[in-house]
């Protein structure tokens, strides 16, 4: 790591002060954001919002290949924030984040990704493709349908990757970015290289889904498999059955199995994707840098968090930047909603 000079140190101090002020607005207590720069995780109490927070009615809109199910909250003229969920999760990862942001005047949109919840393909003939660029094109189409020119994008897991891609390829559509686990854009050829056995073991379901047995297993045990992944991904999160079941309802989508299987097979080079996305994937394979203002977040308890307190992907973000490590697992917005919301407000001020 490069040694910070006086100017860099001053920026860090000013950034830490701003982050502390933002956190204070949300009533966050624990370690200050400045301490995260040393590699120590910030500590926030985990919450289970199952009985305390809920969304309004799910709306539907035609956008690109999809009829997208989404929730919207906050003033119609507020600064747009699009919150993107991962797998095996759904929009309820943001059920406690959303009111914190609407209280600050943001217009919050939380869509179900393809294959989840009430989102449906408009045509039975459209391939149930789940390569990375397809999700990004879906979100751009949703923004166009909602007449949103530019938005703050925030996500984790599949949602982080989607936000990263839009920020990299369509920076004019992304005002700022929150990306959990940093830079997740996939190079399929590079992804064919093995990783240390402990890492490979954590990805067991990726290899399970490469088999027909895995397809049948996901179809039959989608609820139990997802709950097992939740517990592994977030070992300190004491979620309730009500919280999990509310999200698991989103897995009843008729395209859920096809989308999940295709996503993981595509990443392993076992599914080809569609030719119409070839040009985008070629650009993504070159690992483009992200120039928009960004805060990356790592969950200290997440088994997929890379070592080095963000150092492994730091060079991929060339705009104004900050990093946070939180003492939670993989599902950061649901495990630490106040910290996540505070990061959105902070990056909006960059």
């Amino acid at each position: 790591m490069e040694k910070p000079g006086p100017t860099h140190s001053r920026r860090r101090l000013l950034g830490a002060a701003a982050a502390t002020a933002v956190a204070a607005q949300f009533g966050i207590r624990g370690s200050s954001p400045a301490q995260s720069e040393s590699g120590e995780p910030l500590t926030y109490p985990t919450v289970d919002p199952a009985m305390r927070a809920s969304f309004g009615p799910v709306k539907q809109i035609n956008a690109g290949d999809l009829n997208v199910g989404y929730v919207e909250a906050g003033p119609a003229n507020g600064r747009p924030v699009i919150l993107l969920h991962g797998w095996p999760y759904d929009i309820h990862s943001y059920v406690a984040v959303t009111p914190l942001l609407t209280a600050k005047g943001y217009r919050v949109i939380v869509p179900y990704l393809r294959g989840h919840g009430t989102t449906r393909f408009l045509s039975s003939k459209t391939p149930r493709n789940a390569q990375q660029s397809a999700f990004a094109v879906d979100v751009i189409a949703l923004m166009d349908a909602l007449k949103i020119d530019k938005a703050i994008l925030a996500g984790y897991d599949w949602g982080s990757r989607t936000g990263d891609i839009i920020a990299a390829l369509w920076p004019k559509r992304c005002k700022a970015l929150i990306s959990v686990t940093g830079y997740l854009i996939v190079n399929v050829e590079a992804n064919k290289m093995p990783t240390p056995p402990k890492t490979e073991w954590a990805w067991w379901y990726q290899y399970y889904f490469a088999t027909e047995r895995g397809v049948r297993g996901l179809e039959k045990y989608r609820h139990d498999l997802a709950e097992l992944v939740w517990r592994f991904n977030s070992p300190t999160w004491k979620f309730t059955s009500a919280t999990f079941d509310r999200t698991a309802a989103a897995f009843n989508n008729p395209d859920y199995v096809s989308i999940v299987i295709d996503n993981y097979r595509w990443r392993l080079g076992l599914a080809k994707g569609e030719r119409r996305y070839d040009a985008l994937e070629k650009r993504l394979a070159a690992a483009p840098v992200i120039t928009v203002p960004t805060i990356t977040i790592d969950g200290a308890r997440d088994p997929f968090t890379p070592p080095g307190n963000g150092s492994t992907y730091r060079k991929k973000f060339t705009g104004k930047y900050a990093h946070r490590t939180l003492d939670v697992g993989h599902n950061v917005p649901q495990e630490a909603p106040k910290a996540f919301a505070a990061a959105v407000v902070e990056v909006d001020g960059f």
Side-chain angles (χ1 to χ4, degrees):
M1 181 179 293
E2 134 180 280
K3 185 177 180 180
T7 302
H8 178 79
S9 298
R10 183 172 181 271
R11 280 200 301 264
R12 269 180 49 184
L13 289 171
L14 291 173
T20 302
V22 170
Q25 294 179 55
F26 287 97
I28 294 173
R29 301 191 182 278
S31 303
S32 71
Q35 289 177 305
S36 70
E37 301 290 346
S38 69
E40 292 297 320
L42 301 182
T43 301
Y44 299 103
T46 59
V47 296
D48 184 344
M51 306 306 294
R52 298 208 310 262
S54 61
F55 282 128
V58 175
K59 299 180 178 181
Q60 300 292 142
I61 191 168
N62 288 348
D65 289 339
L66 305 172
N67 178 255
V68 179
Y70 68 102
V71 293
E72 182 173 5
N77 62 348
R79 296 184 301 285
V81 179
I82 299 177
L83 304 175
L84 301 168
H85 69 81
W87 180 87
Y89 306 96
D90 84 327
I91 62 174
H92 290 95
S93 289
Y94 297 104
V95 73
V97 171
T98 296
L100 296 172
L101 293 177
T102 59
K104 297 295 181 183
Y106 290 97
R107 177 189 179 191
V108 179
I109 293 103
V110 194
Y112 282 110
L113 299 183
R114 54 172 58 195
H116 294 74
T118 61
T119 292
R120 299 288 189 273
F121 284 87
L122 292 171
S123 172
S124 60
K125 297 180 181 179
T126 303
R128 272 38 178 177
N129 176 9
Q131 68 188 103
Q132 60 183 353
S133 54
F135 290 97
V137 170
D138 288 346
V139 174
I140 292 293
L142 176 63
M143 292 174 68
D144 290 344
L146 294 174
K147 297 180 171 53
I148 295 173
D149 180 59
K150 181 180 287 191
I152 299 169
L153 301 176
Y156 68 100
D157 197 84
W158 291 13
S160 285
R161 182 172 297 107
T162 302
D164 288 351
I165 291 168
I166 294 171
L169 299 187
W170 295 280
K172 292 183 178 180
R173 306 301 299 269
C174 180
K175 183 180 186 299
L177 176 69
I178 299 291
S179 185
V180 175
T181 326
Y183 191 88
L184 293 182
I185 294 174
V186 173
N187 179 316
V188 174
E189 287 304 312
N191 204 42
K192 291 178 181 178
M193 297 302 294
T195 60
K198 185 176 181 180
T199 305
E200 299 282 15
W201 172 77
W203 282 108
W204 66 270
Y205 51 84
Q206 179 168 273
Y207 308 117
Y208 182 52
F209 294 157
T211 69
E212 289 309 302
R213 180 187 181 96
V215 176
R216 292 191 293 269
L218 181 61
E219 180 68 52
K220 184 175 181 179
Y221 298 112
R222 66 184 72 187
H223 182 285
D224 294 352
L225 191 152
E227 186 173 9
L228 181 64
V229 172
W230 274 38
R231 295 192 186 282
F232 179 77
N233 287 359
S234 301
T236 60
W237 182 27
K238 306 302 181 185
F239 60 87
T240 65
S241 295
T243 295
F244 175 76
D245 289 344
R246 180 169 58 180
T247 284
F251 309 152
N252 294 326
N253 185 296
D255 298 306
Y256 174 76
V257 172
S258 296
I259 291 299
V260 174
I261 296 298
D262 192 76
N263 179 274
Y264 289 104
R265 289 186 175 184
W266 178 83
R267 285 200 242 171
L268 290 174
L270 303 176
K272 291 184 179 180
E274 293 181 75
R275 293 188 63 182
R276 61 174 166 155
Y277 297 113
D278 283 354
L280 295 178
E281 294 296 348
K282 185 176 181 180
R283 293 171 65 189
L284 294 173
V289 298
I290 291 173
T291 60
V292 305
T294 299
I295 292 177
T296 57
I297 300 174
D298 284 341
R301 310 296 177 178
D302 182 354
F304 303 109
T305 291
N309 196 36
S311 62
T312 57
Y313 49 73
R314 174 63 185 93
K315 291 181 180 180
K316 304 309 297 181
F317 299 93
T318 61
K320 190 166 182 180
Y321 176 83
H323 176 76
R324 304 284 177 259
T325 297
L326 306 180
D327 195 27
V328 297
H330 190 71
N331 186 0
V332 171
Q334 200 161 2
E335 296 179 63
K338 288 184 178 181
F340 194 91
V344 172
V345 174
E346 182 184 353
V347 81
D348 186 29
F350 277 12

